[in-house]
Amino acid sequence: MSNHERQIRDLFAAYLGNDRQRVADALADDFRFTSPFDDDLDKAAYFERCWRDTGWIARHDIERIFVQGDEAFVTYLCLATDGRSFRNTEFFTFAGGKIRCIDVYFGAARQDGGVSCRRRARASQ
């Protein structure tokens, strides 16, 4: 397992464990985050807009990680405690031993065997 793959797996474990400090420590000071809902957020804005209690997640099933140099793609299936699930792909870049950038590409949400509407989750949930 490469160091970058280990960093990705550790980040997912920290997120699932609701360990905000461990997540913050994994991210570079100049960290940037982009998703279909968020454009080029810095580290502080990421935690303000995107961090919430992760108790709604039952598990992440990492399906694949491809690493090339200081870049990586990860595709995973997220299973929620209420039975919903969704598949995302994230593109990571690394610098100085930290995660410098994450670009998220959302997949369809699923519930009860069908596609369901996926809305932005509120940070307070």
Side-chain angles (χ1 to χ4, degrees):
M1 181 183 313
S2 74
N3 185 50
H4 293 325
E5 180 178 349
R6 187 173 302 106
Q7 286 176 284
I8 291 169
R9 290 183 184 279
D10 287 348
L11 183 72
F12 275 78
Y15 192 82
L16 189 59
N18 207 32
D19 190 340
R20 181 181 169 139
Q21 185 60 54
R22 195 165 140 208
V23 171
D25 291 345
L27 306 178
D29 290 339
D30 62 347
F31 173 75
R32 307 309 285 189
F33 178 83
T34 298
S35 80
F37 296 131
D38 306 288
D39 187 32
D40 199 35
L41 301 180
D42 65 13
K43 191 173 181 177
Y46 166 75
F47 282 109
E48 181 181 318
R49 289 180 46 102
C50 303
W51 184 265
R52 65 182 190 144
D53 178 23
T54 59
W56 63 274
I57 300 173
R59 71 178 198 263
H60 291 116
D61 292 341
I62 295 176
E63 297 176 348
R64 65 188 62 85
I65 297 176
F66 294 105
V67 177
Q68 184 174 0
D70 284 334
E71 299 176 330
F73 277 102
V74 59
T75 300
Y76 60 92
L77 177 67
C78 181
L79 301 162
T81 56
D82 68 1
R84 290 178 300 149
S85 66
F86 58 88
R87 180 174 282 111
N88 286 352
T89 294
E90 299 186 4
F91 178 69
F92 285 70
T93 59
F94 301 86
K98 302 267 186 167
I99 297 166
R100 184 162 187 248
C101 181
I102 300 174
D103 293 327
V104 178
Y105 303 91
F106 291 168
R110 304 195 61 80
Q111 186 169 16
D112 301 323
V115 175
S116 65
C117 184
R118 184 162 181 189
R119 294 187 172 91
R120 180 180 177 82
R122 296 178 202 213
S124 62
Q125 291 180 330

